[in-house]
Amino acid sequence: MLRLVSFLFLLSLVQADEFDPVRDVVRKAVAKGNPPGAVLLVERGEKSMTLVEGQRALSPAKEAMTEDTVFDAASLTKVVATLPSVLILMEQGKIELEAEVRRYLPEFRGGITVRHLLTHTSGLKPGIPKEPEWTGYDVGIRRAVELEPEGPPDRFFRYSDINFILLGEIVRRVSGTALNEFAAKHVFGPLKMDSTRFLPPEDWKPRIAPTEKDQDGVMLRGVVHDPTSRKMGGVTGHAGLFTTAGDLAKYARMILNNGEGVLKAETVRLMTTPHTLATVFERRGLGWDIDSTFSRPRGKLFPIGSFGHTGFTGTSLWIEPQTKTFVIFMSSRLHPDGQGSVRDLYEEIGTTVAQGMSFTAAGPPWPRDEKEVPTVLNGIDVLVRRKFADLKGLRIGLITNQTGIDAQRRSTIDLLAAAPEVKLKKLFSPEHGIRGELDQEKIGDTTDKKTGLPVLSLYGERRAPSEEQLADLDALVFDIQDIGCRFYTYIGTMRLCMEAAAKAKKTFYVLDRVNPIGGLAVEGPSVVDEEKPTATHAIPLRHGMTAGELAAMMNAERALGCDLKVIPVEGWRRGMLFDQTGLPWINPSPNMRSLNAAQLYPGIGLLEFSISVGRGTDSPFEVLGAPYVNDLRLAHELNKLGLPGVQFTPVRFTPTTSVFKGEACGGVRIAITDRDELQPVQTGVAIATVLQRLYPKSFALEKVNTLLNRDKSVKAIRAGEPRKKVIENWNEELSQFTQRRKAFLRHAE
C-alpha cells in the first residue's frame, strides 16, 4: 500500500512539474513588476494549470491577484464578442461574408465587404481620430463611416479598430439588438460565462483589475480603457468587454469542441483558416490572427494553423487545435502608470508551453519565408510546393510555351526536366511556338536547345498529338496562360489534346492559371455558328473562367471521358485582374503586350480582319483605324455613345504588319477609364456599328464574323440595328451559360 501511495505521489509531481517552466517565466516577469500581476491558464487535452501571481492593484492600495479577477479584455472583444455574433448571424442567413458592408450600413462606401472588415484588409485607418473633439455612439459610427480609406481593399493588411466598430454596428442593425445584449444571449449565456460582459456592474468592481488613470486623473476600474470605446459608451465591436481567465477557457473549449453550443463545426473551420489573399503577406482568419506581426503569443514552436488574439491592456488567447491546447494570459500591464509592456512575454510564454510538444503538419503550409514576395500561386507553383508528387513516376509530355513559368520566372520545362522521379519525354507547342515568338500560319517541329527534348508542333500539320506520339507517355500536362477570350486559340489546343489523351487512355493534367481579365463578367454570344480553333466550345467571347475550369466544362459537356486532373490556382479570387496577383506578366503572344490589351481584346479582337487593330504598332489592341477613317470624326462619334469604362482619342498611325501594313491610318486610341465598368465586347460591337454607319462601302463588316461567329448579329449590324439590340439578342444564351458554368467554378468571388 505504501508503494502505491508513493507511486501516485511521484506521478502527481511529474504531472505538476510539466507546467513548471512556464510558471517560472511568468513568476520572473511579475517579480520584476512587469506586469504587476497576472493569471495564466494553460490547458492541453485533459491536463490544465492555473497560475495566479502578484498584485491585482497597486494604486491606491495593494490588492492580491485572484483567480476570479475580471480584466478589461481590450481587443479580445473582437474575437470573443463581435466575431461570434457576426458568425451566428451568418449562420442565420442574415449576413453574408462577401456582401458589401453598405448592404447593412447603407451610408457606407462601396467596394468593402464583411470579409475585408473581419480580416483587416479593408484599407481603413487604424482608428477614429481624436480631433476634432467628439463624443457619443452615433457620432463615432458616423466618423467611422466618413473616414477615407488609406488604400483599396485586399491590397494590404492594416489592423484597424474601425473594422470591428463597424462590425459591431452591423450586428446591432441586422439583429435589432445591441452587441452586448446579442453576445450575452447567444454566446456568454450558453457557455455560462457568468463573469463576462460589457459595462460591468458596480458590485463587480472589487475584483476588477484597474488599468491606468484617464485624462482627468481618475484610475480606470470597471470602465473600459480604450478611449474610443469610452467615448462611445463602452459597448463597441473592438473593445469594452470584461472577462476572466476561467470564462475565456470556456470559450476556447467551445472552439476546440467544434463550436459546441454556439457555432456550427463548419463555421469554426471557416473562421480559423486564412481569408487574406495570397498577395497579402500576413495570414488572418476571420477575426483571428494566424501569422502576422501580432502573432507573438504563438511563440516560436506552435505551428502555423494555431490562432489567437491579443488585447492592448495585456491580455492574450492562443489556441492550438492539433493538441487541443490553449494558453490564456491575463494581466493589466498598464497599471498603474501605463508604462508596462508584455509583448516579449507573450512570445516567451507561447514558446515555453510548446516545448516538448509534438505537432504534425496539417493543412496547407501557410507560413511565409521572410524574403518571400507574396503572390497568387498558379498550378505550377502549387506543383512545386507539392514537390511534384502528382507526377512522380510518370512519363509525361508537356504542352506549353513561354508563359509556362512559376512565380520566380522559372520555366515549367526546366522545372519538370529537373524534377525527381518525373520523366519529361517530349514537348508540344501551340500557336506562336514554344517560345511565343512566331506569328505565322504554320509552325514546324523543332528541338528544345536547353533540354534537347523534341518540340512537336500543334500548330502545323497537326493540331493534336498523334497516337504514335502518345504511345510512350503516361500523361499529358498542359501549362499555358489563357487570356480569357473564346477566340484565343490556346483553349482550343487544350480541348484537342484532351480528346487525344482520352482516346489513348492517358491522364491529362492542367496546371491551372489565373484568368488575367477576371472571372466575374461574361460577355458575348455563347452559341457559335460553327466550331473551329477560334470557337472550340459553346462559351461567350469573354468567358470569365480559368483553363482548368474550362477543361472540366468541356470534359463534361462533350462527354470526352478524359481522365482529367487539375492542379489548382491558390489565392486567386474571381474579381482579381492580373496586376492584382503579384505575378510577373509574360506576353502570351507577340501582340498581347499588356493587361490593358488583354482587357480590350474580346471586343477589339473582333475587328482584326476588318481594320488595323494596332498590330505592327507599339500598342496592339489599344489603337485601331484604317486609311479611310477620319480620326477626329470617329473619336467624336464613339465618345458620344458614352460607352462604360472607355474613352477615345483621335490618332494617326502606320502599322508595319497585318491589315493595312505600311498605310497611314486614321483612328482612335482607347483608354480604359474604369476597369470595373469596362465591357469590351459591347465596345467592339459599338465600334463596328459606327464604322459601318460612317464607312459602309469601305468597312469590311463581313470579316467581323470570322471571330464573332454569329452571322445573324453581323446582318443586324449591316441593317443598322443599334448595338444594344444586337447585344440583347444574346441575353438568353448568356444567362444559360452563367448557369452552366456554376458547376465548374473553383474560385470564390
Side-chain angles (χ1 to χ4, degrees):
M1 184 69 181
L2 184 60
R3 288 181 178 179
L4 177 61
V5 170
S6 298
F7 173 77
L8 292 174
F9 177 72
L10 288 171
L11 181 63
S12 66
L13 281 178
V14 170
Q15 290 178 331
D17 289 346
E18 184 176 338
F19 296 109
D20 273 357
V22 73
R23 287 190 182 97
D24 290 343
V25 167
V26 175
R27 283 170 177 158
K28 287 177 182 177
V30 172
K32 294 178 180 178
N34 185 26
V39 178
L40 174 71
L41 196 161
V42 181
E43 187 165 296
R44 181 188 304 151
E46 300 298 319
K47 301 175 183 178
S48 66
M49 177 276 292
T50 302
L51 173 69
V52 180
E53 196 72 18
Q55 306 298 313
R56 174 163 62 205
L58 297 175
S59 175
K62 284 187 177 182
E63 297 176 28
M65 185 67 72
T66 61
E67 187 173 337
D68 67 346
T69 295
V70 176
F71 293 87
D72 180 340
S75 283
L76 288 186
T77 303
K78 294 178 172 74
V79 292
V80 178
T82 310
L83 173 64
S85 298
V86 170
L87 295 175
I88 288 165
L89 291 168
M90 282 176 54
E91 290 182 348
Q92 295 174 358
K94 296 176 181 177
I95 293 177
E96 291 183 17
L97 184 61
E98 295 298 339
E100 289 193 350
V101 173
R102 63 180 174 182
R103 178 188 296 183
Y104 314 108
L105 308 179
E107 69 271 34
F108 195 61
R109 71 193 67 255
I112 295 176
T113 67
V114 173
R115 175 180 62 83
H116 293 141
L117 299 183
L118 285 166
T119 56
H120 295 286
T121 55
S122 65
L124 293 171
K125 297 177 184 295
I128 303 172
K130 296 178 182 179
E131 303 295 336
E133 188 61 38
W134 62 275
T135 188
Y137 182 87
D138 292 339
V139 177
I141 295 298
R142 188 169 69 248
R143 289 286 180 93
V145 165
E146 291 173 351
L147 283 173
E148 287 291 327
E150 295 186 331
D154 269 335
R155 293 291 178 88
F156 54 83
F157 163 75
R158 174 158 298 146
Y159 186 84
S160 168
D161 286 341
I162 294 175
N163 290 317
F164 275 76
I165 290 171
L166 295 173
L167 286 166
E169 176 65 0
I170 289 174
V171 170
R172 187 183 75 84
R173 293 200 197 180
V174 170
S175 69
T177 306
L179 174 64
N180 59 328
E181 296 171 1
F182 187 92
K185 179 178 179 180
H186 296 279
V187 183
F188 311 147
L191 293 178
K192 295 183 170 49
M193 295 170 66
D194 300 327
S195 293
T196 301
R197 62 169 294 168
F198 293 83
L199 305 174
E202 189 68 22
D203 60 357
W204 283 25
K205 196 175 227 182
R207 64 188 181 105
I208 295 176
T211 51
E212 63 172 324
K213 294 179 180 179
D214 66 10
Q215 67 277 6
D216 298 320
V218 177
M219 182 64 70
L220 294 169
R221 187 165 194 172
V223 176
V224 62
H225 174 269
D226 182 87
T228 300
S229 185
R230 206 158 64 239
K231 287 181 179 182
M232 295 178 70
V235 179
T236 50
H238 74 296
L241 192 68
F242 287 77
T243 190
T244 65
D247 272 9
L248 285 180
K250 295 174 183 178
Y251 185 74
R253 291 185 198 111
M254 176 272 291
I255 291 173
L256 288 174
N257 290 327
N258 294 314
E260 184 178 9
V262 176
L263 298 168
K264 296 177 181 178
E266 55 265 33
T267 304
V268 173
R269 286 192 294 272
L270 182 75
M271 73 176 179
T272 55
T273 54
H275 286 269
T276 41
L277 298 189
T279 49
V280 175
F281 192 88
E282 296 81 1
R283 300 294 200 214
R284 299 286 298 199
L286 300 181
W288 296 105
D289 178 70
I290 294 173
D291 188 22
S292 77
T293 55
F294 293 88
S295 301
R296 297 180 193 91
R298 191 180 77 227
K300 297 178 180 178
L301 299 176
F302 276 129
I304 304 296
S306 59
F307 51 89
H309 212 282
T310 61
F312 183 79
T313 52
T315 61
S316 70
L317 167 62
W318 201 265
I319 301 175
E320 201 295 298
Q322 284 186 41
T323 56
K324 289 191 174 294
T325 298
F326 59 81
V327 181
I328 295 166
F329 177 72
M330 306 294 281
S331 73
S332 186
R333 60 102 181 170
L334 296 171
H335 187 69
D337 56 8
Q339 299 301 308
S341 173
V342 292
R343 291 172 51 158
D344 294 338
L345 183 57
Y346 286 150
E347 182 174 330
E348 191 175 359
I349 290 171
T351 300
T352 305
V353 170
Q355 280 175 348
M357 296 178 67
S358 178
F359 307 102
T360 58
W366 295 326
R368 301 273 197 197
D369 182 272
E370 287 185 4
K371 296 181 180 179
E372 179 182 349
V373 177
T375 64
V376 167
L377 301 181
N378 277 323
I380 181 59
D381 299 287
V382 174
L383 188 67
V384 169
R385 195 185 64 190
R386 293 178 182 177
K387 298 182 179 178
F388 305 95
D390 305 76
L391 303 181
K392 280 190 175 178
L394 298 181
R395 300 168 299 169
I396 62 171
L398 175 62
I399 309 153
T400 193
N401 63 5
Q402 79 289 348
T403 65
I405 59 169
D406 71 355
Q408 309 302 317
R409 291 187 175 88
R410 296 177 296 184
S411 165
T412 301
I413 298 173
D414 299 339
L415 289 168
L416 294 187
E421 299 179 56
V422 176
K423 301 170 185 175
L424 181 59
K425 302 279 289 183
K426 57 191 71 172
L427 307 174
F428 296 91
S429 65
E431 183 181 6
H432 306 300
I434 199 74
R435 300 298 175 189
E437 298 168 345
L438 305 176
D439 201 6
Q440 58 196 56
E441 288 189 10
K442 289 188 177 182
I443 297 171
D445 297 343
T446 58
T447 300
D448 182 58
K449 294 179 182 179
K450 186 169 183 179
T451 63
L453 292 170
V455 180
L456 307 173
S457 174
L458 301 179
Y459 203 76
E461 299 301 324
R462 295 179 308 274
R463 293 299 171 104
S466 66
E467 287 190 49
E468 182 182 4
Q469 291 170 339
L470 296 178
D472 60 345
L473 301 179
D474 299 307
L476 284 174
V477 177
F478 180 90
D479 186 22
I480 299 177
Q481 178 66 66
D482 181 42
I483 211 67
C485 177
R486 182 179 75 201
F487 48 79
Y488 214 57
T489 61
Y490 297 154
I491 57 174
T493 297
M494 180 177 71
R495 191 206 101 190
L496 294 175
C497 290
M498 287 172 61
E499 291 177 349
K503 185 177 179 181
K505 299 190 180 334
K506 309 293 183 181
T507 303
F508 193 88
Y509 289 87
V510 176
L511 304 186
D512 208 4
R513 290 186 172 270
V514 302
N515 185 321
I517 62 173
L520 293 177
V522 295
E523 276 191 280
S526 58
V527 176
V528 298
D529 289 345
E530 63 171 316
E531 285 189 356
K532 50 186 178 180
T534 54
T536 195
H537 193 62
I539 58 176
L541 297 171
R542 182 187 183 190
H543 51 70
M545 298 175 74
T546 69
E549 291 170 341
L550 285 170
M553 171 182 270
M554 292 189 286
N555 195 33
E557 294 186 345
R558 305 179 79 86
L560 299 182
C562 179
D563 180 19
L564 174 66
K565 299 184 186 301
V566 177
I567 309 298
V569 173
E570 290 186 6
W572 183 71
R573 291 181 179 268
R574 309 205 75 82
M576 294 175 72
L577 300 183
F578 194 88
D579 59 4
Q580 296 168 312
T581 65
L583 293 167
W585 174 272
I586 299 292
N587 293 345
S589 55
N591 286 287
M592 194 62 62
R593 302 175 191 171
S594 69
L595 177 58
N596 278 1
Q599 289 180 272
L600 293 167
Y601 183 68
I604 305 307
L606 291 174
L607 306 168
E608 66 176 290
F609 295 101
S610 304
I611 59 173
S612 171
V613 291
R615 290 180 182 270
T617 73
D618 292 335
S619 46
F621 307 113
E622 296 181 69
V623 298
L624 58 86
Y628 53 81
V629 167
N630 180 319
D631 56 325
L632 298 172
R633 176 75 185 278
L634 181 61
H636 172 73
E637 294 291 338
L638 290 174
N639 284 326
K640 274 202 313 184
L641 299 177
L643 295 169
V646 290
Q647 191 77 21
F648 301 91
T649 304
V651 67
R652 296 193 65 81
F653 62 94
T654 302
T656 59
T657 62
S658 194
V659 179
F660 301 129
K661 173 183 176 180
E663 297 185 55
C665 297
V668 293
R669 181 174 297 278
I670 310 166
I672 298 175
T673 57
D674 189 328
R675 304 195 312 181
D676 294 332
E677 294 296 322
L678 174 67
Q679 297 175 38
V681 176
Q682 180 185 168
T683 300
V685 171
I687 293 170
T689 59
V690 170
L691 288 171
Q692 176 63 21
R693 173 168 57 83
L694 295 179
Y695 310 105
K697 294 182 179 179
S698 302
F699 177 55
L701 176 62
E702 68 283 353
K703 292 183 179 180
V704 170
N705 203 39
T706 307
L707 298 178
L708 182 61
N709 212 323
R710 181 59 69 83
D711 187 57
K712 184 187 293 187
S713 297
V714 173
K715 288 179 178 177
I717 294 172
R718 189 179 298 281
E721 290 190 11
R723 75 177 190 284
K724 290 185 178 180
K725 186 173 181 181
V726 174
I727 292 168
E728 286 170 0
N729 288 335
W730 306 330
N731 285 351
E732 184 176 347
E733 64 198 71
L734 200 58
S735 177
Q736 291 172 356
F737 169 77
T738 302
Q739 291 301 314
R740 282 167 49 207
R741 80 174 193 150
K742 283 182 179 179
F744 307 104
L745 299 183
R746 292 170 168 261
H747 303 278
E749 295 185 6

